[in-house]
Amino acid sequence: MTSIGVGSAGFMLIEDYTFAEAFYMSMITISTVGFQEVKPLSEEGRWFTAFYILYNIATLAYTISVISPYIFEGKLKNVWKVYMEEHEIQQYKGHIIVCGFGRNGQRAVRDLLASQEKVVVIELEPEGEHENRIRNENLKYLHGDATQDELLEKAGVRKAKALISSLPKDADNVFVTLTARGLNPDLQIVARASEKNTGQKLIRAGADSVIMPDEIGGSHMARLITSPEIIHFLDLLTGDGPNPMNLEEIHVTRLRPKFRNCSIKELDIHNSTGATLLGISRGKGDYLVSPELEVHLQTGDVLILLGSAKSVKNFMDTFT
């Protein structure tokens, strides 16, 4: 449209054409159809037409140079893929957002996907930087700065159930936590911290839990020397050992109605499924560890189970 406007104005000023005549001349010049001129051109009109043709050739060449990579190098496919992923994310509800896809972020995503959670990753580095990027239909990827409100909105923060902020800089994690809490007061937020004094700032910013990977790693190494068997047992629970076990939490509302008020003795979980009931959470930090057989389940209880994948599946098939 700009080219047509320039041509029409030029023909009207130089050749004293009417708007309709100038518009017609611009169209036949741009399209190179070779129709007859409205009126014979003056010398100034010929010079203008020559430069006008060169201008349009240059514009066309630039347009082709911009469009061709999208057609021949697959960029159009990538643009479409990003658009479709963003559109699909907008339909998500109850998903988990992971900000930062470094070592900690990748491990968190791997475990979340193993639990069949829907995950949206926000990462500043280009996608190609992550050679070991996890491929899964439940994982969506947004490229950009997680501290930007707009990107958190694109990730569906208002409808998400949880957010993990594992960015490398503590200040960025504080900012993401503060922003996410403001956008979704009910969001569960877990944040990473490198410095101890950052932990309190994250809590004040709205984080529900703060994790310090370096401190945990150091304690883990020390316990490998002082209490190696305990660490090896914990490795089983995290799936890192040779015969991994599963820790599962089952809300009492997921049980069949006839089991929701039974006693531990009546359920007989271990003998009927092979899984072990480690404890019962009754909210607000109230736990019953190795509950007595006479204890009855109550509304709001959460069962903490330990067992192999097979025994946990047996429990789900039997009681839910």
Side-chain angles (χ1 to χ4, degrees):
M1 293 301 294
T2 301
S3 179
I4 295 174
V6 171
S8 299
F11 284 119
M12 290 174 68
L13 291 173
I14 297 172
E15 297 295 335
D16 198 25
Y17 285 172
T18 64
F19 175 75
E21 291 173 336
F23 180 79
Y24 172 76
M25 283 294 296
S26 299
M27 291 299 298
I28 65 173
T29 303
I30 292 174
S31 60
T32 67
V33 295
F35 288 163
Q36 187 175 0
E37 300 166 356
V38 174
K39 298 175 185 176
L41 294 172
S42 64
E43 183 174 353
E44 291 82 1
R46 293 191 187 97
W47 278 107
F48 172 75
T49 303
F51 282 110
Y52 185 51
I53 291 171
L54 290 174
Y55 167 77
N56 283 287
I57 290 174
T59 302
L60 178 63
Y62 174 76
T63 302
I64 292 174
S65 69
V66 171
I67 294 176
S68 58
Y70 288 88
I71 299 174
F72 299 108
E73 297 178 13
K75 289 187 178 181
L76 185 61
K77 181 180 179 181
N78 291 336
V79 170
W80 177 252
K81 178 184 176 183
V82 170
Y83 170 78
M84 292 303 296
E85 284 201 349
E86 289 184 0
H87 178 73
E88 188 174 347
I89 290 170
Q90 295 305 310
Q91 314 305 316
Y92 274 12
K93 185 177 181 180
H95 58 290
I96 299 171
I97 300 171
V98 177
C99 301
F101 204 49
R103 291 188 300 272
N104 295 310
Q106 289 186 36
R107 180 55 190 264
V109 168
R110 186 178 296 112
D111 290 349
L112 290 170
L113 292 177
S115 300
Q116 303 302 310
E117 297 284 357
K118 288 187 178 295
V119 181
V120 176
V121 170
I122 301 177
E123 172 55 50
L124 185 59
E125 295 289 341
E127 181 179 337
E129 294 293 327
H130 300 291
E131 297 179 2
N132 297 322
R133 182 191 174 199
I134 303 166
R135 300 286 177 178
N136 189 291
E137 62 181 5
N138 288 335
L139 173 64
K140 300 300 176 185
Y141 185 97
L142 293 177
H143 172 245
D145 186 353
T147 62
Q148 300 298 317
D149 294 19
E150 181 182 355
L151 203 56
L152 288 174
E153 292 276 15
K154 281 186 178 181
V157 68
R158 295 183 187 273
K159 296 185 292 184
K161 71 176 180 180
L163 179 143
I164 296 175
S165 187
S166 61
L167 299 172
K169 296 181 179 179
D170 283 0
D172 289 341
N173 288 319
V174 172
F175 194 86
V176 168
T177 299
L178 187 65
T179 303
R181 178 59 69 210
L183 294 172
N184 185 347
D186 299 322
L187 189 69
Q188 181 183 359
I189 300 176
V190 178
R192 171 188 180 274
S194 299
E195 303 294 335
K196 285 186 177 181
N197 60 2
T198 305
Q200 290 301 317
K201 293 178 182 177
L202 284 164
I203 295 297
R204 289 197 297 270
D208 297 288
S209 304
V210 176
I211 303 300
M212 301 184 66
D214 294 339
E215 186 168 314
I216 292 174
S219 298
H220 189 89
M221 289 186 287
R223 294 296 294 273
L224 277 171
I225 296 175
T226 60
S227 309
E229 294 307 319
I230 292 178
I231 297 301
H232 292 153
F233 179 74
L234 292 176
D235 286 341
L236 291 178
L237 304 185
T238 57
D240 292 335
N243 300 302
M245 303 290 284
N246 293 338
L247 267 178
E248 297 287 342
E249 58 178 67
I250 311 295
H251 199 284
V252 73
T253 56
R254 296 178 61 186
L255 303 182
R256 296 177 189 176
K258 65 179 182 180
F259 296 123
R260 294 177 186 175
N261 296 307
C262 290
S263 67
I264 303 303
K265 182 177 181 180
E266 290 170 332
L267 293 175
D268 195 20
I269 293 174
H270 184 73
N271 289 329
S272 58
T273 68
T276 300
L277 179 64
L278 293 183
I280 299 175
S281 169
R282 293 201 153 157
K284 297 182 179 180
D286 184 12
Y287 288 91
L288 301 179
V289 180
S290 297
E292 300 291 336
L293 296 178
E294 293 74 22
V295 171
H296 282 71
L297 299 184
Q298 299 177 4
T299 302
D301 282 355
V302 178
L303 309 182
I304 311 298
L305 296 177
L306 171 67
S308 64
K310 181 180 179 181
S311 62
V312 172
K313 184 178 182 303
N314 289 339
F315 176 90
M316 301 301 289
D317 292 341
T318 303
F319 292 101
T320 63

